[in-house]
Amino acid sequence: MLNFIKNDPWLKPYEDIIEERRQTVINKEKELTQNGKQSLSDFATGYMYYGLHPVKEGWVFREWAPHATAIYIIGSFNGWQQQEKYKLTRKNYGNWEITLPKDALKHGDLFKLYIHWEGGGGERIPAWIRRVVQDPETKIFSAQVWNPETPYTFKIKNFKPDTFPLLIYECHIGMAQEEEKVGTYTEFREKILPRIKADGYNTIQIMAIQEHPYYGSFGYHVSSFFAASSRFGTPEELKQLIDEAHEMGIAVIMDIVHSHAVKNEAEGLGRFDGTYDLYFYGDERREHKLWDSLCFDYGKNEVLHFLLSNCKFWLEEYKFDGFRFDGVTSMLYYSHGMGESFGSYGDYYNGHQDENAICYLTLANKLIHSLKKDRITIAEEVSGMPGIGVTYADGGIGFDYRMAMGIPDYWIKLLKEKKDEDWRPSSIWWELTNRREDERTISYAESHDQALVGDKTIIFWLIDAYLYWHMMKSDQNYMVDRGIALHKMIRLVTSTTMNGGYLNFMGNEYGHPEWIDFPRAENGWSHKYARRQWSLVDNNDLKYQYLGDFDKAMIRLVKSVKDFENTEISKVWDNDEDQILAYKREDLVFVFNFNPGKSFTDYGFLVEKGSYKIILNSDSKEYGGFGLVDESLTYFTVPDPLYVKQNKEWLKLYIPSRSALVLKKQD
């Protein structure tokens, strides 16, 4: 029996389905690797064959387009005309190929394919191309010959990430600068990487790397899967960014979008060779109605070849350390997870699942971890599908982590619907620690999702418009004081109850004051809300600095305990009437008073006998609090004859309203 099932007896009724899924993966891998004659890694090398490559003779270009009747390369070098010199030859299995002399193309040339098919034809950007650019005047996208004389050479050849726990700084290159414009890879490397290093995060998760026609899609409507978005700079500049992050000890993972693709035909893969089902389903499953995009047909070996090669390409060519797979829930179910109840285990094994997608995701994880054991894979999965974060060897799909997507939803719901006096520590504890024992999760209070226009960030829910008028350190305002206090507490309790990692979206750590709204027609194509105002946290006169400093202290605390995420976490106390929560990890005791009106004197908890010192206090003046606790004190436990045998004594504290204390056992 698989460990996956042994560890969760409730899965026993579905053992046959789980075994069948596993057998599907085994059979598919055998098929793709010709019964083991090659490895899965060998199979995932399509990017070395397809696309444009410099060779001894000059250039070779290959494309897969089985329904094409003729293909020409057209570009700036031939007046965008179809010429015999640039006509591809049809090969076996729907492949097309052309070899060109060296002088036929040069670095920087723009080009496309003109593909003819039965009954029509059209211009297309090659599916496997590594560089796509947009004309600033016409806004038309074209492929670009990219073969610089001095390609980037990585200084760090074999980076070994130290990512336990995984502390992720989620970021977007374009909106990372303060100026109202699209930021660049170079600006991010020079200005933002040092901030992330100083903040203590050990991983950056970069959004919107794969080329996408519409900037406002946040990078989720991908058109060219092998091209790093040129709106941020060149491939060399992205490689240098990753290399310097590695020099700083920071791992770099990317949002990879294999859950769907942009519908565009001129820029993307839609109707690439005149057919609707080349890369995508050909029936009613082809279109994702909610996302206005196209859904891959994971049952086709050619699609598996394309997507698995895409995974290997980013790892090998750019030295990314792993991926956060976007939209996994959408991939798993024919319904994309919409309208499903997910109220019992039966809802994950009722035939509504796309078994081909499950097979692909398992193969992708096998491939990624076979290339390098410490590669990182994270699933953005909200349905709770069992096995997502279980290794393949134990019977799972193989992701290292699952995003704990219920946590940010919980915080927003709490802020929207509950008065402060109705916050229940028992509920907070349950939400933050309710997870499968066989999975590691990424805890987070908010990501980019909670910052999008139409919603509010946590700081905005807490302070609202007062944020604009009362953030001077010299200004006293109840709403701001409340917001700053709860902002710190929410982040501290979320991060320190993790069992895998913690994520923060850039700027949210210091309470960035506004939502995210990309330039679009409705806002006059403005970049005002598609940027980060770093000057706020740098200003010594503003309270944003308090939040930024607290976040640094919080991350430093988590990193101070070896393998913090794996340490046992146990509840010491919760009282919904008092609104007090306390829990323990190793020799640390975490105490939270969510009560909006009551501070408590000599509030006692049973802990291990000894002495304790405060090592972090959210109410410290250093972090914008009132400094009501004397942090220099040593707290000695008080014996109780009832608990002598348990080696437990009373730890009695003064706990101010809306504050959190972290104490460390001294002996």
Side-chain angles (χ1 to χ4, degrees):
M1 184 187 295
L2 295 168
N3 286 337
F4 175 41
I5 301 171
K6 283 181 184 176
N7 294 336
D8 188 349
W10 291 97
L11 290 168
K12 182 67 176 161
Y14 311 102
E15 184 174 11
D16 289 347
I17 298 174
I18 294 168
E19 290 284 2
E20 187 177 344
R21 285 179 180 174
R22 186 172 176 81
Q23 192 60 49
T24 298
V25 174
I26 292 170
N27 293 341
K28 181 56 70 174
E29 185 172 5
K30 283 182 180 178
E31 183 182 348
L32 299 179
T33 61
Q34 301 173 50
N35 284 319
K37 291 180 181 177
Q38 61 177 350
S39 67
L40 198 58
S41 176
D42 294 329
F43 173 76
T45 53
Y47 62 93
M48 297 180 182
Y49 180 80
Y50 292 109
L52 180 66
H53 301 277
V55 291
K56 186 177 180 182
E57 300 86 347
W59 304 90
V60 65
F61 178 85
R62 301 185 186 93
E63 192 65 78
W64 178 60
H67 297 282
T69 55
I71 301 179
Y72 294 86
I73 296 178
I74 61 173
S76 55
F77 41 81
N78 65 4
W80 300 93
Q81 300 299 309
Q82 299 176 52
Q83 299 174 343
E84 285 297 312
K85 176 183 176 181
Y86 293 94
K87 185 177 182 181
L88 278 68
T89 301
R90 188 181 187 100
K91 300 291 185 179
N92 293 333
Y93 309 112
N95 294 321
W96 295 77
E97 181 178 301
I98 187 172
T99 302
L100 294 167
K102 289 182 180 179
D103 62 358
L105 301 171
K106 67 179 186 304
H107 175 67
D109 281 344
L110 303 179
F111 73 101
K112 294 183 181 182
L113 302 178
Y114 195 97
I115 301 182
H116 293 265
W117 55 78
E118 205 64 49
E123 294 182 0
R124 295 290 187 265
I125 290 177
W128 297 76
I129 203 64
R130 303 187 187 189
R131 174 76 172 168
V132 175
V133 295
Q134 184 178 27
D135 186 287
E137 301 297 327
T138 65
K139 306 301 180 186
I140 293 173
F141 286 87
S142 301
Q144 187 174 42
V145 178
W146 198 256
N147 188 38
E149 288 185 17
T150 54
Y152 187 79
T153 302
F154 284 93
K155 291 174 280 186
I156 306 298
K157 305 293 185 184
N158 189 27
F159 176 66
K160 296 187 184 302
D162 181 10
T163 52
F164 298 102
L166 193 61
L167 301 169
I168 302 172
Y169 200 83
E170 184 186 32
C171 48
H172 183 282
I173 301 295
M175 61 172 290
Q177 303 306 312
E178 181 140 2
E179 296 83 0
E180 295 184 27
K181 63 167 192 170
V182 177
T184 67
Y185 298 124
T186 298
E187 288 172 324
F188 188 94
R189 173 176 57 82
E190 293 175 348
K191 298 179 182 179
I192 311 306
L193 268 183
R195 290 181 179 274
I196 298 168
K197 174 67 174 176
D199 286 347
Y201 290 86
N202 58 27
T203 305
I204 56 174
Q205 177 180 305
I206 310 181
M207 307 173 65
I209 290 295
Q210 295 168 293
E211 192 59 86
H212 46 290
Y214 179 45
Y215 184 49
S217 76
F218 232 141
Y220 292 126
H221 274 190
V222 174
S223 53
S224 296
F225 285 78
F226 291 85
S229 182
S230 61
R231 56 172 55 86
F232 310 133
T234 68
E236 278 63 41
E237 289 164 347
L238 174 57
K239 290 175 182 179
Q240 187 176 3
L241 187 166
I242 295 169
D243 205 18
E244 292 200 13
H246 287 166
E247 280 191 293
M248 294 178 180
I250 297 172
V252 186
I253 60 179
M254 68 175 275
D255 262 1
I256 197 165
V257 184
H258 285 176
S259 48
H260 62 139
V262 73
K263 290 171 71 173
N264 302 33
E265 296 177 2
E267 295 90 3
L269 300 176
R271 225 159 64 93
F272 185 76
D273 65 353
T275 59
Y276 291 91
D277 60 349
L278 185 65
Y279 287 97
F280 311 106
Y281 288 115
D283 53 20
E284 70 280 356
R285 292 178 293 170
R286 182 174 189 267
E287 292 193 24
H288 194 304
K289 305 296 185 185
L290 191 63
W291 291 352
D292 192 33
S293 54
L294 302 178
C295 300
F296 285 106
D297 182 351
Y298 305 103
K300 287 181 105 171
N301 288 354
E302 295 86 354
V303 172
L304 295 180
H305 188 222
F306 183 81
L307 296 177
L308 290 172
S309 296
N310 193 237
C311 292
K312 185 176 178 181
F313 169 77
W314 291 108
L315 298 173
E316 300 290 293
E317 181 70 18
Y318 284 88
K319 309 296 184 189
F320 278 100
D321 299 295
F323 305 106
R324 178 256 203 193
F325 277 74
D326 176 69
V328 170
T329 304
S330 178
M331 300 170 70
L332 294 176
Y333 305 95
Y334 293 130
S335 66
H336 306 302
M338 306 304 296
E340 305 275 356
S341 63
F342 304 120
S344 67
Y345 273 2
D347 295 326
Y348 305 111
Y349 305 100
N350 58 8
H352 295 185
Q353 296 73 39
D354 187 336
E355 301 296 341
N356 291 327
I358 293 171
C359 178
Y360 163 66
L361 289 169
T362 309
L363 289 171
N365 275 287
K366 285 196 72 177
L367 167 69
I368 292 163
H369 293 113
S370 73
L371 295 172
K372 201 176 176 187
K373 287 185 179 179
D374 54 13
R375 299 286 194 209
I376 300 161
T377 59
I378 304 171
E380 189 213 23
E381 207 289 301
V382 72
S383 77
M385 167 73 79
I388 282 284
V390 176
T391 65
Y392 173 75
D394 287 333
I397 292 175
F399 283 97
D400 297 312
Y401 303 90
R402 177 206 293 274
M403 299 291 290
M405 298 179 72
I407 294 177
D409 290 345
Y410 173 82
W411 285 123
I412 295 298
K413 185 177 175 66
L414 195 64
L415 290 165
K416 285 170 68 173
E417 299 178 5
K418 298 288 186 182
K419 297 176 182 178
D420 291 5
E421 53 266 35
D422 293 332
W423 287 28
R424 297 290 176 257
S426 61
S427 172
I428 292 171
W429 172 260
W430 188 89
E431 186 61 50
L432 296 182
T433 59
N434 178 37
R435 53 211 171 200
R436 295 184 61 85
E437 291 185 7
D438 56 5
E439 290 185 336
R440 293 183 293 176
T441 59
I442 303 295
S443 298
Y444 59 110
E446 55 184 340
S447 67
H448 71 276
D449 283 329
Q450 285 70 43
L452 292 172
V453 68
D455 206 335
K456 295 180 182 180
T457 58
I458 284 178
I459 199 69
F460 234 130
W461 279 112
L462 288 167
I463 301 178
D464 209 75
Y466 292 97
L467 204 65
Y468 296 114
W469 311 110
H470 300 286
M471 288 297 281
M472 294 290 292
K473 289 182 178 177
S474 58
D475 190 344
Q476 191 83 24
N477 179 274
Y478 170 78
M479 287 298 292
V480 171
D481 289 343
R482 166 188 175 266
I484 286 178
L486 289 176
H487 193 272
K488 291 179 289 186
M489 294 178 71
I490 288 170
R491 277 167 163 67
L492 183 63
V493 73
T494 301
S495 63
T496 57
T497 50
M498 72 165 83
N499 79 328
Y502 172 73
L503 176 142
N504 165 70
F505 180 68
M506 63 177 185
N508 286 1
E509 72 278 6
Y510 66 83
H512 194 278
E514 287 155 348
W515 53 85
I516 299 167
D517 188 15
F518 283 94
R520 53 197 173 98
E522 293 82 353
N523 64 19
W525 301 103
S526 169
H527 288 79
K528 181 178 180 181
Y529 298 109
R531 62 190 180 116
R532 297 284 92 176
Q533 298 180 59
W534 305 105
S535 59
L536 297 175
V537 72
D538 292 340
N539 190 329
N540 292 330
D541 295 326
L542 296 179
K543 295 180 180 180
Y544 297 100
Q545 200 169 82
Y546 292 143
L547 297 178
D549 287 346
F550 181 79
D551 196 77
K552 288 179 185 177
M554 179 183 80
I555 295 297
R556 188 164 57 245
L557 168 71
V558 169
K559 292 172 74 173
S560 71
V561 178
K562 182 176 173 57
D563 294 332
F564 178 89
E565 76 288 0
N566 291 327
T567 60
E568 183 182 353
I569 180 170
S570 57
K571 184 166 63 177
V572 173
W573 177 259
D574 70 346
N575 185 300
D576 285 345
E577 186 175 342
D578 294 339
Q579 295 182 268
I580 298 286
L581 172 67
Y583 52 91
K584 176 180 177 295
R585 298 192 85 144
E586 292 285 293
D587 55 359
L588 299 181
V589 177
F590 301 84
V591 181
F592 293 81
N593 179 5
F594 289 99
N595 199 302
K598 289 183 181 179
S599 299
F600 297 93
T601 302
D602 287 338
Y603 203 100
F605 308 99
L606 280 169
V607 297
E608 189 178 347
K609 176 184 177 181
S611 61
Y612 292 79
K613 291 274 290 184
I614 294 172
I615 61 171
L616 185 61
N617 172 19
S618 73
D619 190 50
S620 169
K621 289 184 177 180
E622 181 183 358
Y623 309 126
F626 295 98
L628 299 176
V629 174
D630 186 348
E631 297 176 36
S632 68
L633 295 177
T634 299
Y635 294 84
F636 296 92
T637 55
V638 179
D640 185 327
L642 291 176
Y643 299 99
V644 170
K645 290 184 179 180
Q646 299 176 32
N647 195 35
K648 294 287 182 69
E649 294 187 346
W650 291 99
L651 175 64
K652 296 192 174 184
L653 304 170
Y654 171 60
I655 318 170
S657 168
R658 289 197 185 111
S659 73
L661 299 171
V662 184
L663 299 101
K664 183 181 175 95
K665 189 172 183 293
Q666 299 300 294
D667 47 42

mmCIF file of all heavy atoms in Angstrom, residues 296-321:
data_model
loop_
_atom_site.group_PDB
_atom_site.id
_atom_site.type_symbol
_atom_site.label_atom_id
_atom_site.label_comp_id
_atom_site.label_asym_id
_atom_site.label_seq_id
_atom_site.Cartn_x
_atom_site.Cartn_y
_atom_site.Cartn_z
ATOM 1 N N PHE A 296 -4.943 23.698 -22.454
ATOM 2 C CA PHE A 296 -4.086 22.691 -23.077
ATOM 3 C C PHE A 296 -4.724 21.306 -23.022
ATOM 4 O O PHE A 296 -5.403 20.952 -22.058
ATOM 5 C CB PHE A 296 -2.733 22.635 -22.361
ATOM 6 C CG PHE A 296 -1.817 23.784 -22.667
ATOM 7 C CD1 PHE A 296 -1.596 24.783 -21.728
ATOM 8 C CD2 PHE A 296 -1.176 23.864 -23.893
ATOM 9 C CE1 PHE A 296 -0.749 25.837 -22.001
ATOM 10 C CE2 PHE A 296 -0.322 24.920 -24.176
ATOM 11 C CZ PHE A 296 -0.109 25.914 -23.235
ATOM 12 N N ASP A 297 -4.452 20.524 -24.074
ATOM 13 C CA ASP A 297 -4.864 19.126 -24.110
ATOM 14 C C ASP A 297 -3.699 18.291 -23.583
ATOM 15 O O ASP A 297 -2.775 17.940 -24.328
ATOM 16 C CB ASP A 297 -5.208 18.707 -25.542
ATOM 17 C CG ASP A 297 -5.681 17.270 -25.642
ATOM 18 O OD1 ASP A 297 -5.586 16.542 -24.634
ATOM 19 O OD2 ASP A 297 -6.137 16.864 -26.727
ATOM 20 N N TYR A 298 -3.740 17.977 -22.282
ATOM 21 C CA TYR A 298 -2.631 17.275 -21.640
ATOM 22 C C TYR A 298 -2.575 15.801 -22.026
ATOM 23 O O TYR A 298 -1.638 15.102 -21.618
ATOM 24 C CB TYR A 298 -2.748 17.409 -20.118
ATOM 25 C CG TYR A 298 -2.828 18.842 -19.651
ATOM 26 C CD1 TYR A 298 -4.047 19.408 -19.265
ATOM 27 C CD2 TYR A 298 -1.694 19.650 -19.613
ATOM 28 C CE1 TYR A 298 -4.135 20.730 -18.848
ATOM 29 C CE2 TYR A 298 -1.773 20.979 -19.198
ATOM 30 C CZ TYR A 298 -3.001 21.507 -18.820
ATOM 31 O OH TYR A 298 -3.083 22.818 -18.413
ATOM 32 N N GLY A 299 -3.525 15.344 -22.816
ATOM 33 C CA GLY A 299 -3.509 13.960 -23.277
ATOM 34 C C GLY A 299 -2.656 13.751 -24.513
ATOM 35 O O GLY A 299 -2.392 12.609 -24.905
ATOM 36 N N LYS A 300 -2.201 14.832 -25.141
ATOM 37 C CA LYS A 300 -1.375 14.730 -26.347
ATOM 38 C C LYS A 300 0.100 14.702 -25.981
ATOM 39 O O LYS A 300 0.579 15.552 -25.237
ATOM 40 C CB LYS A 300 -1.638 15.925 -27.273
ATOM 41 C CG LYS A 300 -2.964 15.906 -27.994
ATOM 42 C CD LYS A 300 -3.101 17.128 -28.884
ATOM 43 C CE LYS A 300 -2.902 16.757 -30.323
ATOM 44 N NZ LYS A 300 -3.235 17.892 -31.224
ATOM 45 N N ASN A 301 0.819 13.751 -26.519
ATOM 46 C CA ASN A 301 2.248 13.651 -26.225
ATOM 47 C C ASN A 301 3.013 14.885 -26.677
ATOM 48 O O ASN A 301 3.990 15.289 -26.044
ATOM 49 C CB ASN A 301 2.835 12.409 -26.887
ATOM 50 C CG ASN A 301 2.399 11.130 -26.197
ATOM 51 O OD1 ASN A 301 1.749 11.171 -25.151
ATOM 52 N ND2 ASN A 301 2.730 9.994 -26.769
ATOM 53 N N GLU A 302 2.570 15.486 -27.778
ATOM 54 C CA GLU A 302 3.256 16.690 -28.272
ATOM 55 C C GLU A 302 3.092 17.854 -27.297
ATOM 56 O O GLU A 302 4.001 18.683 -27.146
ATOM 57 C CB GLU A 302 2.720 17.075 -29.652
ATOM 58 C CG GLU A 302 3.010 16.069 -30.750
ATOM 59 C CD GLU A 302 1.981 14.951 -30.837
ATOM 60 O OE1 GLU A 302 1.088 14.892 -29.956
ATOM 61 O OE2 GLU A 302 2.059 14.143 -31.781
ATOM 62 N N VAL A 303 1.939 17.917 -26.646
ATOM 63 C CA VAL A 303 1.713 18.970 -25.648
ATOM 64 C C VAL A 303 2.573 18.699 -24.410
ATOM 65 O O VAL A 303 3.173 19.623 -23.836
ATOM 66 C CB VAL A 303 0.216 19.060 -25.274
ATOM 67 C CG1 VAL A 303 0.004 20.008 -24.099
ATOM 68 C CG2 VAL A 303 -0.591 19.520 -26.489
ATOM 69 N N LEU A 304 2.658 17.433 -23.998
ATOM 70 C CA LEU A 304 3.539 17.079 -22.883
ATOM 71 C C LEU A 304 4.986 17.428 -23.222
ATOM 72 O O LEU A 304 5.734 17.930 -22.371
ATOM 73 C CB LEU A 304 3.415 15.593 -22.563
ATOM 74 C CG LEU A 304 2.061 15.110 -22.038
ATOM 75 C CD1 LEU A 304 2.101 13.610 -21.775
ATOM 76 C CD2 LEU A 304 1.669 15.847 -20.766
ATOM 77 N N HIS A 305 5.376 17.165 -24.457
ATOM 78 C CA HIS A 305 6.729 17.497 -24.905
ATOM 79 C C HIS A 305 6.982 18.998 -24.788
ATOM 80 O O HIS A 305 8.024 19.438 -24.284
ATOM 81 C CB HIS A 305 6.905 17.038 -26.352
ATOM 82 C CG HIS A 305 8.299 17.155 -26.869
ATOM 83 N ND1 HIS A 305 8.587 17.627 -28.131
ATOM 84 C CD2 HIS A 305 9.488 16.864 -26.286
ATOM 85 C CE1 HIS A 305 9.898 17.621 -28.303
ATOM 86 N NE2 HIS A 305 10.468 17.160 -27.209
ATOM 87 N N PHE A 306 6.015 19.775 -25.220
ATOM 88 C CA PHE A 306 6.123 21.234 -25.191
ATOM 89 C C PHE A 306 6.232 21.741 -23.751
ATOM 90 O O PHE A 306 7.130 22.532 -23.415
ATOM 91 C CB PHE A 306 4.894 21.833 -25.883
ATOM 92 C CG PHE A 306 4.901 23.335 -25.991
ATOM 93 C CD1 PHE A 306 5.615 23.974 -26.977
ATOM 94 C CD2 PHE A 306 4.168 24.106 -25.093
ATOM 95 C CE1 PHE A 306 5.616 25.363 -27.084
ATOM 96 C CE2 PHE A 306 4.155 25.484 -25.185
ATOM 97 C CZ PHE A 306 4.882 26.118 -26.185
ATOM 98 N N LEU A 307 5.350 21.286 -22.878
ATOM 99 C CA LEU A 307 5.291 21.808 -21.511
ATOM 100 C C LEU A 307 6.438 21.298 -20.642
ATOM 101 O O LEU A 307 7.016 22.057 -19.850
ATOM 102 C CB LEU A 307 3.941 21.463 -20.880
ATOM 103 C CG LEU A 307 2.722 22.108 -21.540
ATOM 104 C CD1 LEU A 307 1.434 21.624 -20.872
ATOM 105 C CD2 LEU A 307 2.798 23.628 -21.510
ATOM 106 N N LEU A 308 6.778 20.024 -20.765
ATOM 107 C CA LEU A 308 7.904 19.499 -19.992
ATOM 108 C C LEU A 308 9.213 20.144 -20.447
ATOM 109 O O LEU A 308 10.077 20.477 -19.617
ATOM 110 C CB LEU A 308 7.979 17.973 -20.126
ATOM 111 C CG LEU A 308 6.861 17.191 -19.429
ATOM 112 C CD1 LEU A 308 6.925 15.715 -19.797
ATOM 113 C CD2 LEU A 308 6.937 17.355 -17.909
ATOM 114 N N SER A 309 9.353 20.344 -21.742
ATOM 115 C CA SER A 309 10.540 21.039 -22.254
ATOM 116 C C SER A 309 10.588 22.462 -21.738
ATOM 117 O O SER A 309 11.665 23.004 -21.464
ATOM 118 C CB SER A 309 10.538 21.039 -23.793
ATOM 119 O OG SER A 309 10.639 19.735 -24.311
ATOM 120 N N ASN A 310 9.422 23.073 -21.592
ATOM 121 C CA ASN A 310 9.357 24.434 -21.077
ATOM 122 C C ASN A 310 9.869 24.486 -19.639
ATOM 123 O O ASN A 310 10.623 25.396 -19.261
ATOM 124 C CB ASN A 310 7.920 24.941 -21.163
ATOM 125 C CG ASN A 310 7.807 26.431 -20.953
ATOM 126 O OD1 ASN A 310 7.098 26.905 -20.074
ATOM 127 N ND2 ASN A 310 8.517 27.219 -21.761
ATOM 128 N N CYS A 311 9.494 23.501 -18.830
ATOM 129 C CA CYS A 311 9.995 23.434 -17.453
ATOM 130 C C CYS A 311 11.517 23.343 -17.446
ATOM 131 O O CYS A 311 12.201 24.100 -16.743
ATOM 132 C CB CYS A 311 9.413 22.222 -16.728
ATOM 133 S SG CYS A 311 7.646 22.296 -16.388
ATOM 134 N N LYS A 312 12.054 22.423 -18.212
ATOM 135 C CA LYS A 312 13.498 22.216 -18.216
ATOM 136 C C LYS A 312 14.225 23.438 -18.763
ATOM 137 O O LYS A 312 15.293 23.812 -18.261
ATOM 138 C CB LYS A 312 13.850 20.974 -19.031
ATOM 139 C CG LYS A 312 15.340 20.634 -18.982
ATOM 140 C CD LYS A 312 15.663 19.354 -19.720
ATOM 141 C CE LYS A 312 17.167 19.089 -19.684
ATOM 142 N NZ LYS A 312 17.535 17.850 -20.411
ATOM 143 N N PHE A 313 13.654 24.080 -19.764
ATOM 144 C CA PHE A 313 14.283 25.250 -20.385
ATOM 145 C C PHE A 313 14.572 26.343 -19.364
ATOM 146 O O PHE A 313 15.692 26.857 -19.270
ATOM 147 C CB PHE A 313 13.379 25.790 -21.492
ATOM 148 C CG PHE A 313 13.792 27.138 -22.012
ATOM 149 C CD1 PHE A 313 14.862 27.264 -22.884
ATOM 150 C CD2 PHE A 313 13.116 28.288 -21.621
ATOM 151 C CE1 PHE A 313 15.251 28.510 -23.351
ATOM 152 C CE2 PHE A 313 13.497 29.535 -22.084
ATOM 153 C CZ PHE A 313 14.568 29.645 -22.958
ATOM 154 N N TRP A 314 13.578 26.721 -18.572
ATOM 155 C CA TRP A 314 13.760 27.824 -17.619
ATOM 156 C C TRP A 314 14.757 27.457 -16.529
ATOM 157 O O TRP A 314 15.509 28.317 -16.040
ATOM 158 C CB TRP A 314 12.414 28.218 -17.011
ATOM 159 C CG TRP A 314 11.498 28.868 -18.007
ATOM 160 C CD1 TRP A 314 10.369 28.333 -18.572
ATOM 161 C CD2 TRP A 314 11.643 30.172 -18.574
ATOM 162 N NE1 TRP A 314 9.808 29.221 -19.449
ATOM 163 C CE2 TRP A 314 10.557 30.363 -19.478
ATOM 164 C CE3 TRP A 314 12.573 31.204 -18.423
ATOM 165 C CZ2 TRP A 314 10.383 31.537 -20.208
ATOM 166 C CZ3 TRP A 314 12.405 32.381 -19.154
ATOM 167 C CH2 TRP A 314 11.326 32.537 -20.032
ATOM 168 N N LEU A 315 14.799 26.183 -16.156
ATOM 169 C CA LEU A 315 15.741 25.743 -15.135
ATOM 170 C C LEU A 315 17.176 25.720 -15.659
ATOM 171 O O LEU A 315 18.113 26.131 -14.972
ATOM 172 C CB LEU A 315 15.358 24.348 -14.631
ATOM 173 C CG LEU A 315 13.996 24.216 -13.948
ATOM 174 C CD1 LEU A 315 13.699 22.747 -13.664
ATOM 175 C CD2 LEU A 315 13.937 25.024 -12.664
ATOM 176 N N GLU A 316 17.340 25.257 -16.870
ATOM 177 C CA GLU A 316 18.675 25.087 -17.429
ATOM 178 C C GLU A 316 19.212 26.369 -18.061
ATOM 179 O O GLU A 316 20.373 26.723 -17.862
ATOM 180 C CB GLU A 316 18.663 23.962 -18.472
ATOM 181 C CG GLU A 316 18.244 22.616 -17.929
ATOM 182 C CD GLU A 316 19.275 22.008 -17.002
ATOM 183 O OE1 GLU A 316 20.363 21.650 -17.472
ATOM 184 O OE2 GLU A 316 18.995 21.910 -15.796
ATOM 185 N N GLU A 317 18.389 27.053 -18.819
ATOM 186 C CA GLU A 317 18.844 28.235 -19.561
ATOM 187 C C GLU A 317 19.007 29.449 -18.655
ATOM 188 O O GLU A 317 19.941 30.235 -18.818
ATOM 189 C CB GLU A 317 17.855 28.544 -20.688
ATOM 190 C CG GLU A 317 18.226 29.736 -21.554
ATOM 191 C CD GLU A 317 19.438 29.495 -22.443
ATOM 192 O OE1 GLU A 317 19.801 28.310 -22.650
ATOM 193 O OE2 GLU A 317 20.016 30.491 -22.932
ATOM 194 N N TYR A 318 18.092 29.628 -17.703
ATOM 195 C CA TYR A 318 18.106 30.835 -16.864
ATOM 196 C C TYR A 318 18.503 30.564 -15.413
ATOM 197 O O TYR A 318 18.643 31.505 -14.638
ATOM 198 C CB TYR A 318 16.730 31.508 -16.901
ATOM 199 C CG TYR A 318 16.478 32.272 -18.184
ATOM 200 C CD1 TYR A 318 15.928 31.648 -19.293
ATOM 201 C CD2 TYR A 318 16.812 33.624 -18.284
ATOM 202 C CE1 TYR A 318 15.712 32.350 -20.476
ATOM 203 C CE2 TYR A 318 16.597 34.334 -19.455
ATOM 204 C CZ TYR A 318 16.042 33.688 -20.547
ATOM 205 O OH TYR A 318 15.830 34.396 -21.711
ATOM 206 N N LYS A 319 18.653 29.306 -15.044
ATOM 207 C CA LYS A 319 19.056 28.916 -13.693
ATOM 208 C C LYS A 319 18.009 29.257 -12.630
ATOM 209 O O LYS A 319 18.346 29.510 -11.466
ATOM 210 C CB LYS A 319 20.396 29.556 -13.296
ATOM 211 C CG LYS A 319 21.515 29.368 -14.299
ATOM 212 C CD LYS A 319 21.891 27.916 -14.467
ATOM 213 C CE LYS A 319 23.076 27.773 -15.416
ATOM 214 N NZ LYS A 319 23.343 26.356 -15.774
ATOM 215 N N PHE A 320 16.727 29.266 -13.025
ATOM 216 C CA PHE A 320 15.685 29.396 -12.008
ATOM 217 C C PHE A 320 15.768 28.196 -11.066
ATOM 218 O O PHE A 320 16.192 27.105 -11.457
ATOM 219 C CB PHE A 320 14.299 29.454 -12.654
ATOM 220 C CG PHE A 320 13.910 30.818 -13.158
ATOM 221 C CD1 PHE A 320 14.029 31.139 -14.502
ATOM 222 C CD2 PHE A 320 13.426 31.772 -12.290
ATOM 223 C CE1 PHE A 320 13.674 32.398 -14.966
ATOM 224 C CE2 PHE A 320 13.067 33.038 -12.739
ATOM 225 C CZ PHE A 320 13.187 33.351 -14.086
ATOM 226 N N ASP A 321 15.355 28.413 -9.821
ATOM 227 C CA ASP A 321 15.445 27.368 -8.810
ATOM 228 C C ASP A 321 14.145 26.590 -8.628
ATOM 229 O O ASP A 321 14.078 25.706 -7.766
ATOM 230 C CB ASP A 321 15.857 27.988 -7.469
ATOM 231 C CG ASP A 321 17.218 28.659 -7.559
ATOM 232 O OD1 ASP A 321 18.211 27.948 -7.784
ATOM 233 O OD2 ASP A 321 17.284 29.897 -7.436
#
